[in-house]
Amino acid sequence: MSRLTPENVTLAEEIIGRYPRPKSALIPLLHLAQEQDGYVADDAMEHLAELVGVTPAEVLGTCSFYEMFKREPVGTYVVNVCTNISCQLLGGEELLHHAEERLGIRAGSTTADGRFTLEDVECIAACTEAPCLQVNYRYFHRITTDEFDALVDELAAGGRPDEIPPHGTLARVRQHIPDDRAAGPAVPGECGEPVWITARPAPAPEPRS
Amino acid sequence: MTITEAPRIVSSRFDVADGHTIDVYESTHGYEGLRAALAKRPDEVVEEVKTASLLGRGGAGFPAGVKWGFCPPGVWPRYLVVNGDESEPGTYKDRLLMERDPHQLIEGVLIACYAIGCEQAFLYVRGEMALAQERIAAALNEAYAKGYVGRNIMGSDFSVDVVLHWGAGAYIVGEETALIESLEGNRGMPRLKPPFFPAAKGLYLQPTVVNNVETLSNLPWILREGGAAFAELGAEASRGTRLFAVSGHVRQPGVYEVEFGVTTFRDLIYSPLYAGGIRDGNEIKAYIPGGSSAPWFFEEHLDLPLEKGVVDRAGSMLGSGAVVVFDETTDVVKAALRVVRFYARESCGKCTPCREGTSWLEKILERISDGLGRPSDLELLVDVCDNISPGIAWPPKQTTICPLGPSAVSPIASAVTRFRDEFAARIGEPVTVSTPITGGAYTAAPDAPAEVGA
């Protein structure tokens, strides 16, 4: 796998067109590649380099900084268990340990059947709902070990396709700016004072006496 | 107890069915603040926000109206970048604001763009927050269709695109210059300030205002009800209301909107209206008052109000509104280790004291936690801290470009000063520390011998 499909190239061009400079679209496009293939393939990175006008090495440089981007295939379900402070206080580390036992793998690896990848992650902003985890970035709050087992059984039996899309899909609604409503990107060197400021100048300050 | 009947300014739609949709938003005063703003001159909108004395809600607590004024005159375009990269451990409020009331945030973004003169806005949401991204995308599509965003907003001459953008997993990107690097498509490493103060040289080296989600979510109410009405709430520098996430060993963990500046830590942690006290009738051992970067507070700080100046002077910070409560059963060595491990993992690697220091702190703490600590380890820990943040003072000094490295020092200085005996018990021998720790909240228990931490 693989360069972007023609449909995704069209989407990529729409995304690039929103930014004053094409390279700004790189992280959204890496997500698009990951949505297409489940991970970010080398060929996809080369394709993105062509689309935004940088070298493949620069794409790799950006891609490798961010931990959500996987450069090798991962499980159908990426299970991220939070063990940071609020979750640790309420059993997050024990939950992770239980998950390792249940799935038969250490955090950071993938089950032999390619179904589950388990990760020990940093705070995912559900601190009042500890211990918490995400499956493909969908939240599960205040989860017990029994609930974890039931979730794994359910996912192994076919999952919850309405709630949990395949790894790589984040928002299932895309922003679309209609042409007749777009203000357009603000490109450096091409913008002056905005008209709504020019039309309503602040009054001159009162002279100091 | 100083619990007040302040209105819910930013969380009013949290419990409203379909509060994230434009129909419900419009039927509950939605976009009235923007309408009010467009009836004023941009400079008058800035004045309204200055009158409100709205402090930034992201962590540093800088006055928003003043921050807007730092853009150099006559340099265009200006950008607004919304910091929705909430990832400070313990912090949980911006995700709720994005998931449950995305239109309120969008309206706040538009008001800010109108006031500052920003010709494009980027809404940077944390990568892991799929539902927030989905809700904001849907809300933006609705708002474009209804003429609230884009060209000639509400029939006026005000035009701005709001572009939804999301990250891909990196705590450091919450730092505003790293956020800008990331938005330019680069590795999210902070820039040196000066010269790269965002207001002067931000996105594409143009004037850029970076504001937090909660900060902007206050603007619709301020424009609708007036800055003076906002400033009537709260005390001292801390006006209006504020969201606090109370997590850890409390009976009712939750996100609570309380009057800023007057409500106390005791109210927030013990009131049945809020967190309801410590679980199982246990005693409180310590608490983090403002996210994992903040020095810990203890029982003697419970009656302090949630007021920026008061908490700063007491030697910590309200930071990102994240209160994490430890009860008497908490293993503070393990707790400090977990927080330090976070900073070691999230260090971007640009500055040596942080890159090397945080990972050494983790290693040393790990062996102490495992019962393999050496008698000299506490001194070594504090010495490494001193190299990352000289003097271990508060507010922290730094030998690094950004505050990430010094943030790892807070939990260690707190735990080592207050709970020296727990480290000694792990190491199996008495331990001493000669490197001075000079910060405010790094204090021994009131009834302990004075030499500790001196």
Side-chain angles (χ1 to χ4, degrees):
Chain A
M1 302 284 273
S2 80
R3 294 167 65 86
L4 295 188
T5 62
E7 295 75 30
N8 280 338
V9 170
T10 305
L11 260 177
E13 282 165 352
E14 182 186 340
I15 293 167
I16 292 168
R18 288 179 202 148
Y19 294 91
R21 294 192 178 153
K23 196 184 179 190
S24 279
L26 199 45
I27 291 173
L29 297 190
L30 284 161
H31 278 300
L32 185 63
Q34 182 150 285
E35 181 171 347
Q36 174 181 295
D37 297 333
Y39 72 108
V40 183
D42 287 351
D43 287 355
M45 281 191 274
E46 288 186 22
H47 197 177
L48 299 190
E50 294 164 21
L51 288 170
V52 303
V54 299
T55 65
E58 285 175 276
V59 177
L60 175 61
T62 296
C63 181
S64 60
F65 186 82
Y66 299 92
E67 65 188 32
M68 286 175 73
F69 293 134
K70 310 300 181 193
R71 282 171 291 134
E72 293 171 14
V74 291
T76 311
Y77 300 107
V78 175
V79 180
N80 291 351
V81 179
C82 178
T83 58
N84 210 311
I85 187 73
S86 300
C87 285
Q88 182 197 45
L89 292 170
L90 294 173
E93 289 176 341
E94 290 77 8
L95 179 64
L96 178 71
H97 185 67
H98 175 83
E100 289 180 326
E101 295 280 323
R102 174 68 178 76
L103 296 173
I105 51 173
R106 297 296 300 270
S109 47
T110 300
T111 54
D113 63 4
R115 200 167 267 154
F116 296 99
T117 295
L118 181 64
E119 296 191 341
D120 168 12
V121 298
E122 297 303 343
C123 182
I124 48 178
C127 312
T128 65
E129 311 301 325
C132 63
L133 59 82
Q134 291 183 318
V135 179
N136 292 351
Y137 303 102
R138 269 64 189 176
Y139 284 92
F140 291 84
H141 288 160
R142 302 191 192 200
I143 194 155
T144 64
T145 51
D146 286 347
E147 286 164 348
F148 180 84
D149 290 345
L151 178 63
V152 166
D153 289 340
E154 192 184 343
L155 294 175
R160 303 182 184 185
D162 294 342
E163 273 176 65
I164 307 174
H167 178 255
T169 300
L170 293 167
R172 288 162 300 180
V173 178
R174 293 187 200 280
Q175 181 179 14
H176 174 67
I177 302 178
D179 285 343
D180 64 339
R181 291 286 319 132
V187 181
E190 295 178 12
C191 295
E193 184 173 69
V195 290
W196 71 90
I197 301 272
T198 310
R200 299 176 195 78
E206 307 251 331
R208 285 167 192 250
S209 53
Chain B
M1 293 269 173
T2 33
I3 292 168
T4 61
E5 299 262 330
R8 286 169 67 174
I9 290 178
V10 292
S11 66
S12 68
R13 294 179 198 84
F14 277 14
D15 306 320
V16 175
D18 295 325
H20 60 280
T21 62
I22 201 162
D23 289 346
V24 173
Y25 191 67
E26 284 180 318
S27 69
T28 50
H29 305 291
Y31 291 105
E32 286 177 15
L34 176 61
R35 204 178 301 274
L38 294 179
K40 295 174 185 283
R41 294 191 315 265
D43 65 294
E44 292 173 316
V45 177
V46 175
E47 280 309 308
E48 202 67 47
V49 175
K50 284 186 181 166
T51 301
S53 301
L54 172 65
L55 296 186
R57 303 293 201 243
F62 198 80
V66 178
K67 189 175 188 178
W68 294 357
F70 289 155
C71 292
V75 184
W76 310 99
R78 293 174 178 173
Y79 299 105
L80 180 75
V81 175
V82 185
N83 189 344
D85 194 52
E86 178 174 67
S87 16
E88 170 88 358
T91 311
Y92 175 32
K93 54 163 182 103
D94 294 338
R95 176 162 79 88
L96 280 172
L97 288 165
M98 294 188 283
E99 288 178 356
R100 300 205 187 168
D101 206 342
H103 283 287
Q104 178 175 257
L105 172 60
I106 293 165
E107 187 180 352
V109 169
L110 295 167
I111 292 166
C113 286
Y114 177 76
I116 304 164
C118 297
E119 289 169 274
Q120 196 169 11
F122 298 93
L123 217 164
Y124 193 116
V125 181
R126 186 169 168 190
E128 289 89 339
M129 297 179 179
L131 181 62
Q133 296 153 14
E134 199 163 291
R135 290 267 168 92
I136 291 173
L140 280 170
N141 290 346
E142 289 176 321
Y144 267 98
K146 287 226 171 183
Y148 291 122
V149 194
R151 192 186 304 160
N152 300 123
I153 290 168
M154 296 168 85
S156 73
D157 57 0
F158 170 47
S159 301
V160 67
D161 274 342
V162 179
V163 174
L164 171 62
H165 184 101
W166 58 80
Y171 166 72
I172 187 57
V173 167
E175 195 278 336
E176 58 184 11
T177 61
L179 186 73
I180 288 167
E181 279 289 319
S182 185
L183 192 50
E184 291 186 7
N186 301 325
R187 297 168 76 81
M189 292 168 138
R191 295 173 175 175
L192 201 58
K193 299 189 278 189
F196 299 111
F197 288 109
K201 291 187 185 305
L203 184 63
Y204 315 124
L205 303 185
Q206 293 294 125
T208 303
V209 171
V210 183
N211 277 157
N212 164 264
V213 165
E214 186 184 351
T215 311
L216 292 164
S217 295
N218 276 288
L219 296 181
W221 194 94
I222 290 171
L223 267 291
R224 205 172 73 225
E225 306 291 334
F230 190 87
E232 273 173 27
L233 300 162
E236 308 293 330
S238 306
R239 300 294 167 161
T241 62
R242 193 168 171 185
L243 291 174
F244 287 91
V246 191
S247 65
H249 295 148
V250 289
R251 288 201 180 96
Q252 302 163 78
V255 182
Y256 302 104
E257 181 169 355
V258 303
E259 186 170 351
F260 201 11
V262 298
T263 311
T264 66
F265 285 103
R266 189 182 299 280
D267 298 330
L268 195 60
I269 295 170
Y270 287 93
S271 165
L273 289 174
Y274 305 129
I278 311 302
R279 66 167 186 188
D280 304 333
N282 289 351
E283 296 295 317
I284 195 167
K285 184 168 186 172
Y287 55 102
I288 305 177
S292 63
S293 305
W296 299 354
F297 268 179
F298 309 99
E299 194 162 13
E300 67 265 26
H301 301 104
L302 279 173
D303 291 312
L304 296 181
L306 300 161
E307 200 288 309
K308 176 178 161 46
V310 168
V311 173
D312 287 351
R313 287 190 294 277
S316 190
M317 63 174 177
L318 286 174
S320 51
V323 178
V324 185
V325 178
F326 304 167
D327 76 4
E328 64 194 54
T329 68
T330 306
D331 180 339
V332 291
V333 179
K334 269 185 68 180
L337 167 61
R338 186 62 190 88
V339 176
V340 169
R341 172 175 294 159
F342 167 75
Y343 292 106
R345 285 181 176 178
E346 296 295 335
S347 174
C348 80
K350 189 166 183 171
C351 308
T352 309
C354 172
R355 180 185 66 241
E356 302 300 321
T358 53
S359 49
W360 275 107
L361 291 175
E362 182 191 356
K363 275 178 218 170
I364 301 162
L365 269 172
E366 184 145 35
R367 70 180 181 228
I368 296 174
S369 178
D370 289 346
L372 302 170
R374 305 162 192 173
S376 59
D377 270 352
L378 223 52
E379 180 75 58
L380 184 57
L381 266 182
V382 176
D383 185 49
V384 174
C385 288
D386 188 55
N387 277 284
I388 299 173
S389 183
I392 313 181
W394 192 263
K397 295 186 173 67
Q398 60 193 52
T399 52
T400 48
I401 289 172
C402 89
L404 190 148
S407 297
V409 170
S410 305
I412 294 179
S414 301
V416 163
T417 310
R418 184 73 166 213
F419 304 108
R420 179 84 47 100
D421 52 336
E422 295 192 30
F423 286 86
R426 282 295 223 299
I427 292 168
E429 289 185 42
V431 286
T432 56
V433 174
S434 60
T435 305
I437 296 175
T438 57
Y442 304 134
T443 51
D447 54 355
E451 59 82 25
V452 182

